[in-house]
């Protein structure tokens, strides 16, 4: 780093799950909504991706879109797979569960890149009683509601945390 540059607070955030059709596009939508209501959207790059490629190009799962829409989030992301260049293009890469985090750490091209990978659970309040964001794909409506509850809590805490950094 050049002497005149100072490390800047992370503003390029990538949310990652397995399929990129349920949890991570919802996280992207929830976080974007917070930034649009509480911050300066122009400062931010917010995106999502999956470690698996089964749903590349698809809109989020219909059930996720319906539950998100009821809370005011319109999810329009098209699924894509995580790439090595994401480790250059983003400051923080947030995995929804332990398996996502382990896969991301394996994909990281360098120790520096690996440091960008953090679990979403790091930002979810203890009162929520979850240390990961569970995959809702094979669950009923409660699974999707739970994901949104966890993400609303976690994304607000993430935003607050990043606001405290210089
Ligand atoms: P996500 O959920 O990782 O939250 O997008 C899943 C979506 C699809 C599959 C698994 C998880 N799948 O196996 O197709």
């Amino acid at each position: 780093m050049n002497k005149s540059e100072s490390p800047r607070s992370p503003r390029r955030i990538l949310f990652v799950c397995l399929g990129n059709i349920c949890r991570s596009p919802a996280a992207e939508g929830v976080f974007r909504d917070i930034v649009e209501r509480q911050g300066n959207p122009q400062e931010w790059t917010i995106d999502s991706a999956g470690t698996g490629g089964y749903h590349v190009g698809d809109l989020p799962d219909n059930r996720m879109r319906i539950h998100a829409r009821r809370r005011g989030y319109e999810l329009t992301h098209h699924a894509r797979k995580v790439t090595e260049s994401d480790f250059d293009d983003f400051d923080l890469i947030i995995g929804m569960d332990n398996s996502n985090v382990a896969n991301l750490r394996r994909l990281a091209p360098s120790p520096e890149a690996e440091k960008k990978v953090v679990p979403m659970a790091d930002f979810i309040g203890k009162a929520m009683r979850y240390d990961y964001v569970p995959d809702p794909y094979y669950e009923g409506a409660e699974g999707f509601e739970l994901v949104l509850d966890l993400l609303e809590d976690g994304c607000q805490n993430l935003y607050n945390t990043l606001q405290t950094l210089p």
Side-chain angles (χ1 to χ4, degrees), residues 93-162:
I93 302 183
I94 302 183
M96 295 295 126
D97 64 27
N98 290 339
S99 159
N100 307 147
V101 168
N103 285 327
L104 285 166
R105 289 193 172 135
R106 255 196 303 276
L107 287 169
S110 69
E112 269 307 297
E114 199 177 328
K115 283 189 211 147
K116 296 182 171 185
V117 179
V118 290
M120 189 72 213
D122 280 8
F123 305 99
I124 295 173
K126 291 269 181 289
M128 301 299 287
R129 297 176 165 271
Y130 268 87
D131 59 3
Y132 65 106
V133 182
D135 185 349
Y137 196 65
Y138 297 104
E139 303 296 330
E142 333 72 60
F144 289 87
E145 287 297 310
L146 172 63
V147 165
L148 289 166
D149 288 343
L150 294 170
L151 292 176
E152 285 181 341
D153 182 82
C155 284
Q156 185 66 61
N157 293 331
L158 168 64
Y159 181 75
N160 295 349
T161 303
L162 297 180

Side-chain angles (χ1 to χ4, degrees), residues 17-25 54-55 135-138:
C17 60
L18 174 59
N20 193 212
I21 55 167
C22 295
R23 293 166 292 174
S24 61
Y54 331 103
H55 295 280
D135 185 349
Y137 196 65
Y138 297 104

Side-chain angles (χ1 to χ4, degrees), residues 21-22 26 59-76 141 144-145 148:
I21 55 167
C22 295
L59 277 167
D61 185 287
N62 255 327
R63 298 163 296 172
M64 191 77 253
R65 295 184 76 195
I66 287 166
H67 286 274
R69 190 176 296 131
R70 283 188 197 148
R71 298 190 190 205
Y73 310 112
E74 205 55 52
L75 306 183
T76 57
F144 289 87
E145 287 297 310
L148 289 166

